[in-house]
Amino acid sequence: MRLDPLFPGRSLPAETTVRRLLARVDGDTLDLAIGRWLADRRNRAEGRRRGPAVDGKSLRGAARANGRKIHLLAAPDHTTGLVLAQLDVQEKTNEIT
């Protein structure tokens, strides 16, 4: 049993428990919920809004069933470095277009 470093009276869940839970959760819904939660915390802490950046990345070592690479379009906040939202895009394109 491993103890939680933040709450010493509690134990951490086993890796298999976390894997089973994440396998059952819809990834897009979880991503949206966490992005909204982070954006809400950021806005409260700063007291004002800032525009996010938008950037595309290819995931190294990850591929679809047909062998094509996975590309994500992300909207991180420059100030905090938090990714507020991300979207799986079908193909990598020129960032200008």
Side-chain angles (χ1 to χ4, degrees):
M1 178 174 77
R2 298 179 319 161
L3 293 179
D4 187 328
L6 299 177
F7 300 100
R10 297 181 184 173
S11 61
L12 294 173
E15 178 186 348
T16 53
T17 302
V18 175
R19 285 181 182 271
R20 282 193 308 263
L21 173 68
L22 292 177
R24 294 179 180 172
V25 173
D26 178 50
D28 291 335
T29 303
L30 178 63
D31 184 41
L32 183 62
I34 291 173
R36 286 180 177 168
W37 181 81
L38 289 172
D40 182 54
R41 298 305 177 273
R42 176 194 59 141
N43 291 334
R44 285 184 191 176
E46 295 177 7
R48 59 189 168 113
R49 291 186 179 261
R50 288 196 171 106
V54 176
D55 189 24
K57 296 290 179 204
S58 295
L59 299 182
R60 186 186 320 194
R64 300 182 195 290
N66 62 6
R68 297 185 72 129
K69 287 190 175 184
I70 296 174
H71 306 287
L72 298 177
L73 184 65
D77 175 44
H78 275 292
T79 307
T80 62
L82 299 174
V83 176
L84 304 175
Q86 66 182 7
L87 175 67
D88 182 5
V89 294
Q90 293 300 316
E91 294 190 32
K92 185 176 181 179
T93 62
N94 186 325
E95 289 185 14
I96 295 171
T97 59

